[in-house]
Amino acid sequence: MKVLVVGGGGREHAIVKKLKENKAIDAIYALSGNGGMASDCICVPIGAKELDKITEFAVAEGVDYAVVAPDDPLVMGLVDKLENKGIKCFGPKKSAAIIEGSKVFSKNLMKKYGIPTAEYAVFDSAKEALLYLETAPVPTVIKADGLALGKGVIIAQTRDEAKNAVLEIMENKKFGASGNSIVIEEFLEGPEVSVLSFTDGKTVVPMVSSMDHKRAKDGDLGLNTGGMGTIAPNPYYTEEIAKECMEKIFLPTIEAMNNEGRTFKGCLYFGLMLTKDGPKVIEYNCRFGDPETQVVLPLLKTDLFSIMKAVTEERLSEIEIEFSKKSACCVIMASKGYPEHYEKGFEITIPESEKSSVYVAGAELLQGKLVTAGGRVLGVTAVEDSMENVNLQGNREKRD
Ligand code: AMP
Ligand code: GLY
C-alpha cells in the first residue's frame, strides 16, 4: 500500500508518524515534506498547490491513497482531481472545502441553518463597508472572504482601525482576490476551543478537544503567530459543553452541508468560542489544525489509517475510535525574532531518544545536515497523565 501525504509542516509530520503505525502501508510519500520528515517518509519536491504535478506523480507512482492536509489544495479541488484518476483520498472535495474557503459561504450557511455564530454583515464594496462602520459597535472583527494564510482576520479596537482594515483588504488588495468580499462581525468574548472531527458525511466523531496559543512570548504578551503551541484536552471544554456542541453545532453542520449538496468527508475543524450565551462558531476549517494535530494525534489510540479509510468508504459508524485519557502539550520552537525578522540556516540536532515526540516544520537538509528554514521550526509534544504541570496561568488570566 502506497500512501501520499500532501503538505510539509509539523501537522503533516504528525500525520505521517501516525500513519507509519499501520503495517499495511509500505511507502509514505510527502509532497513536499521537509528535511526533518525525510527520516520518516520519502519527501518529493512538489508543492502543495501544484495540483497537476501532484496528480501526475500519484498516478505514475501507483499511489493507493492520498491524505490532503493543507487548506489551499483542498479549496482548489485536489481531492476531485485525484479521485477522477481513481485515487482514494482523505479530505473534502472542492464543493465542501468551501466551508473554509469562503467565510461568506460559511456565515450564510450558519445563518440559514440556525447554527450559533457571531452576528455579521457581508460587503462587496469598500464604500458600503465604510458606511456601515460609521455606526457599528467596536471592537469589531473584519474578515477577508477567502484564504489569506491565516492572516485575513483583523480585530479592530476602534472605528479608524476597522476602516483601515477595510481599505487594506478591499482597495489595496492585501490578500488579493480573497478580499473581494468581506465579513464584518460582532466581537465575541470567551475561551476558545478547537474541536477537530472525523466525518464521512453521515457520522461525526469529535476528536479530543484542544486549545491553540496564538501569541508569541510567555503570558500571551507577544505578536499573533501561526500558533506557538497547543494543549489537549481543552480545560474549558466540559462534557456538558461537548454535548451541547454536538446537538447545536456539529450535527447541524454535517446536515446543512448535505442539504446544500456539499457532503463533507474528511476532518472538519470547529473553531469555537465559549461565550456567556453558549458555544458559538468562530470558524470552520476543512482540515486538521496546525499545531492542534501535534497534540491530538499523539492521544489517538485507534489506527489513523483505518479511520481515514472508513471515512472515505462512508462506514465511520462501524468503527470504534478511542483517545487516551492523558494530556498532551506541544510547544513550538521558533527562530529568534519570529513572527518578524529572523535568520535561517542554523543546524538542528534532535537527540535520537526524543525523535518520536518532535514534529519538524521549518527545516531543510543541507549537505546532510538539518538546518532551520522557517519561523516555526519544531513542535515538541509531551504526553503526561495529567495537565497539572502545564502552566495555563498566563492564558487563563487573559481569557477569563
Ligand atoms: P480565524 O482566522 O478565523 O481563526 O480567526 C483568528 C482569530 O481571531 C480567532 O482564533 C479568534 O481569536 C479571533 N476571532 C475571530 N472571530 C472573532 C470574533 N467574532 N470575536 C472575537 N474574536 C474573533
Ligand atoms: N491552528 C489553527 C489552524 O490550523 O487554522
Side-chain angles (χ1 to χ4, degrees):
M1 173 79 67
K2 290 181 177 178
V3 176
L4 180 158
V5 175
V6 178
R11 164 185 54 201
E12 287 77 11
H13 198 181
I15 292 172
V16 164
K17 281 192 179 186
K18 207 70 193 170
L19 288 175
K20 272 178 70 179
E21 291 173 9
N22 186 303
K23 298 295 166 233
I25 300 177
D26 307 303
I28 305 180
Y29 301 95
L31 275 55
S32 61
N34 66 56
M37 288 165 73
S39 50
D40 288 305
C41 60
I42 305 158
C43 295
V44 183
I46 299 177
K49 290 200 256 182
E50 298 184 282
L51 305 202
D52 290 334
K53 282 193 185 168
I54 295 171
T55 312
E56 275 165 32
F57 174 86
V59 171
E61 284 299 317
V63 164
D64 301 286
Y65 194 88
V67 179
V68 183
D71 49 9
D72 279 311
L74 288 167
V75 171
M76 290 161 75
L78 179 57
V79 167
D80 307 59
K81 277 188 183 272
L82 289 168
E83 285 185 352
N84 281 343
K85 296 285 180 195
I87 296 163
K88 292 203 164 63
C89 292
F90 183 83
K93 289 186 176 176
K94 184 176 181 174
S95 62
I98 191 173
I99 198 164
E100 174 170 3
S102 167
K103 294 207 192 290
V104 173
F105 170 85
S106 65
K107 292 299 291 188
N108 290 343
L109 183 87
M110 287 186 269
K111 188 174 179 184
K112 181 169 172 187
Y113 292 92
I115 298 165
T117 188
E119 294 296 329
Y120 71 103
V122 174
F123 298 94
D124 300 320
S125 92
K127 202 170 149 219
E128 283 167 37
L130 294 174
L131 197 65
Y132 172 86
L133 284 173
E134 291 292 340
T135 53
V138 283
T140 188
V141 186
I142 318 286
K143 297 186 172 184
D145 175 42
L147 296 180
L149 301 167
K151 294 182 180 137
V153 175
I154 291 117
I155 311 225
Q157 299 298 334
T158 64
R159 293 217 169 92
D160 281 345
E161 258 179 65
K163 286 179 186 170
N164 280 339
V166 166
L167 291 174
E168 279 291 302
I169 297 174
M170 301 193 90
E171 301 270 287
N172 300 340
K173 296 280 175 217
K174 191 174 177 186
F175 306 118
S178 286
N180 288 350
S181 304
I182 59 165
V183 171
I184 300 186
E185 187 172 283
E186 173 197 11
F187 176 75
L188 297 178
E189 285 177 280
E192 282 182 58
V193 185
S194 308
V195 181
L196 282 57
S197 70
F198 292 110
T199 178
D200 59 359
K202 298 174 181 161
T203 307
V204 56
V205 181
M207 301 181 216
V208 61
S209 64
S210 54
M211 179 190 267
D212 189 4
H213 293 249
K214 286 207 167 91
R215 283 180 184 270
K217 299 201 174 160
D218 287 347
D220 279 346
L221 296 173
L223 292 169
N224 229 0
T225 73
M228 295 311 294
T230 33
I231 56 168
N234 185 309
Y236 296 98
Y237 194 69
T238 60
E239 275 189 30
E240 201 185 341
I241 296 174
K243 197 164 166 275
E244 189 180 353
C245 289
M246 182 57 108
E247 281 164 16
K248 295 187 180 158
I249 296 174
F250 305 159
L251 288 171
T253 302
I254 302 304
E255 277 166 29
M257 291 298 276
N258 286 338
N259 267 334
E260 296 295 310
R262 296 175 182 274
T263 296
F264 190 103
K265 287 166 66 174
C267 172
L268 182 53
Y269 167 134
F270 299 89
L272 308 170
M273 195 170 267
L274 308 181
T275 74
K276 60 176 176 17
D277 302 320
K280 295 193 178 179
V281 177
I282 287 280
E283 61 163 348
Y284 291 114
N285 291 327
C286 64
R287 54 176 174 83
F288 284 96
D290 190 342
E292 284 88 345
T293 307
Q294 291 90 311
V295 283
V296 169
L297 289 188
L299 295 176
L300 177 63
K301 287 171 116 180
T302 313
D303 174 56
L304 177 63
F305 190 52
S306 305
I307 302 173
M308 288 181 159
K309 278 195 306 181
V311 166
T312 309
E313 292 159 15
E314 296 180 19
R315 45 176 186 77
L316 190 57
S317 65
E318 292 170 20
I319 61 167
E320 196 70 31
I321 298 180
E322 203 188 340
F323 280 87
S324 156
K325 292 278 176 266
K326 292 185 176 183
S327 299
C329 171
C330 172
V331 176
I332 301 293
M333 297 180 73
S335 298
K336 190 175 177 186
Y338 174 80
E340 295 181 295
H341 176 74
Y342 56 84
E343 287 171 34
K344 301 177 189 174
F346 298 104
E347 189 175 352
I348 308 165
T349 319
I350 307 170
E352 202 57 45
S353 58
E354 306 299 327
K355 278 205 166 137
S356 65
S357 55
V358 176
Y359 303 108
V360 183
E364 61 183 357
L365 279 175
L366 266 189
Q367 287 146 7
K369 284 185 185 165
L370 188 63
V371 299
T372 65
R376 295 189 300 158
V377 180
L378 306 176
V380 184
T381 297
V383 175
E384 293 290 339
D385 284 335
S386 83
M387 196 65 84
E388 262 162 24
N389 294 334
V390 180
N391 183 4
L392 285 169
Q393 204 55 37
N395 206 47
R396 282 226 170 101
E397 276 165 12
K398 184 180 153 267
R399 287 166 199 262
D400 275 351

